[in-house]
Amino acid sequence: GVAAAGVVAWAVFWRDSGPVANTATPNTNGDTKPNTPAVPEGMALVSGGKFMMGSDKGDKYSRPAHEVTVRPFYMDTTEVTNEAYAKFVAATSHKPPPDWKNGTFPEGKAKFPVVGVNWEDANAYAKWAGKRLPTESEWEKAARYDPASGTVRQYPWGDDEATAERANLGQDHLQP
């Protein structure tokens, strides 16, 4: 379960939300409203709290299921595009992905998720963008926890089988 969720896209980046304030601020009518931070553009707040991480059914790396607590955090709602990664490469002289010809992503693929980067590349991009990569528990909470029902799914899409249509399982035909 964790492995399939982890390969969906490397390029989901995170920023600590800090504590979510439960204080109230008076408004002009004397009423109060929650004093919560604004969600950064392009990001979603993932609530903190306890959840069951891992699985008793999965591979040896997923076992055993165990309770984990994470703080609230923000995550990007889309993967990092080739276009965004190219800005990072231009600004930092970081090496481009190996499939980019002459340091340029394939034509017509500007809005596609960047591929062919390793953890170090992703980490460098995240730091440049003022963000950070997720911890294993943050990634799993965001990928598997369903806040609407309060349940943990086997995969981000639910409990149905992992297929090429639902997950990046390393299919060569998906590469640009």
Side-chain angles (χ1 to χ4, degrees), residues 45-110:
L45 177 64
V46 178
S47 63
K50 295 178 183 180
F51 74 103
M52 291 304 292
M53 181 173 167
S55 170
D56 291 326
K57 302 178 203 171
D59 60 34
K60 67 181 181 180
Y61 303 107
S62 299
R63 292 181 291 210
H66 56 286
E67 187 174 86
V68 174
T69 302
V70 296
R71 293 183 53 207
F73 57 95
Y74 293 110
M75 66 177 280
D76 283 348
T77 57
T78 60
E79 298 88 356
V80 173
T81 63
N82 285 316
E83 183 176 58
Y85 198 79
K87 290 177 184 174
F88 158 69
V89 168
T92 65
S93 298
H94 193 87
K95 67 176 174 35
D99 65 331
W100 289 16
K101 303 293 183 235
N102 299 316
T104 304
F105 53 82
E107 187 175 336
K109 303 290 184 181

Side-chain angles (χ1 to χ4, degrees), residues 11 46 54 64 134 140 169:
V46 178
E140 188 163 338
L169 301 174

